[in-house]
Amino acid sequence: MKYFFFSLLVPVYVVTATNPSLAGDYKSPSSTMPNSASSPSGGFDTAVEKLLQEQINLVARIERALAQPDPNRVRSANGQIFVQAQAIAAFGKRQDPNFPATCNSLGNTSVNSDITQSPTYCSLYASSQELLKMSPILDRILSRRGESALVRELPLVSGERKLDSVLAISSVERPRLGKKATPFAIQEPNLPPSPAAVIGQPTKKPLVNYSQPIQAAIAIPQEATVILETAEKYIAQAKAGFPQGSKFHNPRETAAALDKFAYDIDPQEPQTYAKFLALPKTGIFRVLPYAAYQRPLNQLENRLLQTVGERYPFPSLAETQDGFTPNLALQLVGERFQILSSGADRYFMTDLGNIPIEKLDANLKTVTPNIREAFLNYQPPKLFHVLQAEQRQLIADKNKNNLLSATVPVRLNHTYLVRSLQFQLPEVILNGKQLTSKERLQIDELLKIPSSDNIIAFRPVRQRSDGSYTILWRVVKELSAPQIDDLEAYLQY
C-alpha cells in the first residue's frame, strides 16, 4: 500500500520537475540524480550534494507555506515532502538495499558501502524522515486555510475531495501552484490615499459603511518549529561532511538579499557619503513610493508578519525620550515628496534649490530671508483644533504663504527644508474611547504628551528605476517642544 501511494505521487514530481512554474518557489534538481554505479569518480558525493541542496530548499519552502495564508503553498509543500523522501530513500536503496541498517552501523568497518564512507547521506536521510512528521500538521493547516481561499485540486489525488469536509465544497481547477490563491470573501475597492482623520469630530468615510477586511493572524505551530529545527540540525551535519568551500544555496539569505535590494539603500551608499554622515544628526534613507507601504488589494496576508514599514522604518531624528521617537516619515506620492502624519502632527516644507545640505546652519543664513522668517518665526498654536485646521489648510493648498506646502515636486540634487512638529497623543484620544476608572485617576499623566519640533533638511542624491530615491537628511535645528493646552476637552468621560 505504501508503494502504491508513492507511485501516485510520481506524476506530480515529473510535472513539477519539467515545469518550474508549478514547482513553487524552489526548483527541484533531484529528478536527474546520478547513480554512483554509472557515475565517474565522486558521483556519489555529487548526487548527495544535489539531494542535500533540494532538502535545504524544501525546508525553506515549508517555512514559507506555514507563514503564508495561501493554501496552495501548504498543499504543494506537503506533496513535495513525500516526493523528496522517496527520492532520497530510492537513492540509498540503489547503493545499499539495507541502507537504514547500514546507517545505524556506521562505526562497523566490516560493512563496505559508499554510504559508510560518506555519512552525509545518513544525515540527509534522517532529515527527510524528520520532515515526514510535518505531513499531518500540514493536513490540519490546509483544512483551515481552505476555508478562506480557492484550493486547487491536484490531478493525482483521486479521493481527496471526498475525505476532506472543507475541500469538498471548494471549486475544482487544474493546479497552478505558482499563482497565489484567490480569496473567497475579499472585494476591496481601490480607494485613493485618505488624509489623516480629524480627531474630536466625526468625519466621512470614502465609502459609506465600509471597513477593510481583517487579515488572518497566522502563527507557526510550535510542533512544526521543533520538527524543522531538528531537520535542519541533520542538514547541518550533512553539510559538515563536505569539503570546506562547498557552497550550498540558502533560500533564506537569497530572500533577505532580494528584500533589501527592493526596499533598502545599497551597501556602498553609506561609504560614498561617509564624510557627510560623519556630521552630527545626519543619515541616509531610501524614500519609497506610497504603494510600497500598502497591502495589495484582494490578497490574503498574514498580519503577524512585518510590513515594509516595520522592516525598514523611517529614520529617527532623536534619541527616544519617554518612549517617543520623532521620525522623518517621508514617502513618494506620484512625483512629489510627502510626509506621512497622524494625530496632531504639523509640518510644512519647501524646495531650497541646489544648495549643499552641509552648508545649512541653525540660523538658515544661506536661504532667502522670507523662507528663513517662515521657518524660524513660526509659533505653533496651543489649541488642538487650530493645530489640526492649519494642517488641513496646508494639505488643501489654502495656506497664505505660497512658499510653504505639504508636498513638493521631486527634483534630484535639490535640498528641501522641513519644519516638523510631532506629538505622541494618548490612545484614548486617538481612538475616542471612554476613559476607564483607572485612566480617570491618571488624567494628569495622560495629558503630559511627549512632543518635538525640528527643522530638517533632506536632499535626494540618487533615483532608481522603480521610482524610489536615496536621500541624505540632517536635523538643522531643534526647537522647544510644543505644548497643547486643551487636550482634556477631547477626553471621553
Side-chain angles (χ1 to χ4, degrees):
M1 185 66 184
K2 176 175 67 175
Y3 296 104
F4 173 73
F5 176 75
F6 284 136
S7 67
L8 291 176
L9 291 171
V10 171
V12 161
Y13 178 66
V14 172
V15 170
T16 52
T18 55
N19 190 346
S21 65
L22 302 182
D25 298 319
Y26 309 112
K27 189 176 179 181
S28 171
S30 64
S31 58
T32 57
M33 201 59 59
N35 189 331
S36 62
S38 58
S39 299
S41 176
F44 179 86
D45 287 341
T46 301
V48 173
E49 184 177 1
K50 291 182 178 180
L51 283 170
L52 180 57
Q53 178 61 68
E54 183 170 339
Q55 190 74 357
I56 295 171
N57 293 346
L58 178 57
V59 170
R61 184 175 183 175
I62 294 170
E63 287 177 339
R64 184 163 184 177
L66 290 171
Q68 297 289 343
D70 188 342
N72 291 322
R73 289 187 182 276
V74 177
R75 170 177 268 171
S76 60
N78 198 6
Q80 192 63 31
I81 289 174
F82 288 99
V83 172
Q84 175 73 354
Q86 179 68 359
I88 292 173
F91 175 79
K93 191 173 183 180
R94 289 198 298 269
Q95 317 309 315
D96 182 350
N98 196 28
F99 71 91
T102 302
C103 283
N104 293 331
S105 307
L106 285 178
N108 188 353
T109 56
S110 63
V111 179
N112 185 14
S113 168
D114 281 339
I115 291 177
T116 61
Q117 304 302 318
S118 179
T120 55
Y121 171 80
C122 293
S123 298
L124 173 61
Y125 175 72
S127 174
S128 70
Q129 295 303 298
E130 186 69 22
L131 286 187
L132 287 174
K133 300 176 184 178
M134 286 292 303
S135 184
I137 300 174
L138 293 176
D139 284 338
R140 186 172 68 247
I141 291 173
L142 177 61
S143 293
R144 298 273 54 86
R145 297 185 190 175
E147 296 175 343
S148 60
L150 175 63
V151 181
R152 300 182 178 89
E153 182 190 32
L154 291 179
L156 74 163
V157 186
S158 57
E160 184 180 33
R161 295 181 72 242
K162 299 177 182 178
L163 297 177
D164 192 294
S165 58
V166 173
L167 299 180
I169 63 174
S170 300
S171 303
V172 179
E173 291 186 10
R174 299 294 290 180
R176 290 180 292 164
L177 301 180
K179 185 178 180 181
K180 292 183 178 180
T182 303
F184 283 140
I186 295 182
Q187 294 182 350
E188 298 176 84
N190 187 13
L191 300 176
S194 58
V198 180
I199 298 173
Q201 65 184 65
T203 56
K204 291 183 178 180
K205 292 184 177 180
L207 289 179
V208 178
N209 298 328
Y210 172 74
S211 298
Q212 282 191 331
I214 299 175
Q215 296 295 312
I218 299 174
I220 298 178
Q222 181 61 31
E223 52 185 333
T225 301
V226 172
I227 293 172
L228 291 174
E229 288 176 350
T230 304
E232 288 196 280
K233 288 180 182 178
Y234 287 125
I235 289 175
Q237 294 175 7
K239 290 168 65 175
F242 285 89
Q244 189 174 7
S246 298
K247 293 184 178 180
F248 290 93
H249 166 67
N250 189 328
R252 288 196 203 97
E253 294 178 355
T254 300
L258 290 175
D259 192 68
K260 289 180 72 67
F261 178 78
Y263 302 114
D264 203 4
I265 60 174
D266 289 345
Q268 74 276 5
E269 287 181 323
Q271 301 174 7
T272 304
Y273 301 100
K275 185 177 180 180
F276 170 78
L277 296 176
L279 298 174
K281 299 176 182 178
T282 58
I284 187 170
F285 177 66
R286 183 169 173 182
V287 180
L288 302 172
Y290 175 85
Y293 300 102
Q294 307 303 307
R295 183 183 59 82
L297 296 177
N298 299 307
Q299 290 189 18
L300 296 172
E301 296 288 339
N302 179 4
R303 71 173 187 265
L304 296 185
L305 296 180
Q306 285 189 320
T307 62
V308 172
E310 292 169 337
R311 298 197 304 273
Y312 305 97
F314 296 116
S316 301
L317 302 178
E319 295 183 0
T320 303
Q321 298 176 354
D322 299 327
F324 175 63
T325 305
N327 60 17
L328 179 61
L330 193 64
Q331 56 188 357
L332 286 164
V333 179
E335 294 298 321
R336 301 181 73 88
F337 286 122
Q338 180 174 318
I339 292 178
L340 178 65
S341 62
S342 61
D345 291 354
R346 169 88 164 97
Y347 72 91
F348 50 84
M349 53 184 168
T350 191
D351 184 355
L352 299 179
N354 191 9
I355 296 177
I357 188 172
E358 60 272 13
K359 295 294 180 65
L360 293 174
D361 63 343
N363 295 320
L364 303 180
K365 294 179 181 179
T366 56
V367 305
T368 58
N370 50 352
I371 292 178
R372 179 168 60 250
E373 181 180 355
F375 275 81
L376 293 179
N377 296 342
Y378 170 75
Q379 295 297 321
K382 295 184 179 296
L383 298 180
F384 191 34
H385 73 279
V386 177
L387 197 63
Q388 290 190 101
E390 282 190 357
Q391 189 60 31
R392 292 199 303 271
Q393 289 174 357
L394 196 69
I395 293 174
D397 199 20
K398 294 181 180 180
N399 60 306
K400 298 179 181 179
N401 193 333
N402 294 326
L403 294 173
L404 309 179
S405 176
T407 66
V408 289
V410 178
R411 292 186 176 90
L412 198 62
N413 295 322
H414 275 217
T415 297
Y416 298 84
L417 202 61
V418 181
R419 177 83 180 261
S420 174
L421 295 85
Q422 298 181 46
F423 304 85
Q424 188 178 39
L425 297 178
E427 290 295 326
V428 291
I429 291 180
L430 290 174
N431 299 329
K433 293 183 178 180
Q434 191 170 7
L435 291 174
T436 63
S437 300
K438 183 179 180 180
E439 289 169 339
R440 288 193 187 99
L441 299 175
Q442 300 174 342
I443 288 180
D444 290 340
E445 294 299 322
L446 283 175
L447 297 180
K448 292 179 182 178
I449 59 169
S451 60
S452 68
D453 187 356
N454 295 288
I455 297 178
I456 312 150
F458 69 89
R459 181 180 179 88
V461 292
R462 179 189 173 191
Q463 181 182 14
R464 288 177 171 79
S465 58
D466 64 351
S468 63
Y469 286 81
T470 297
I471 68 159
L472 302 176
W473 62 267
R474 177 187 172 201
V475 177
V476 178
K477 187 178 181 66
E478 293 185 29
L479 302 166
S480 300
Q483 299 297 320
I484 302 177
D485 294 339
D486 64 338
L487 276 181
E488 187 174 359
Y490 295 85
L491 296 176
Q492 302 293 326
Y493 291 96

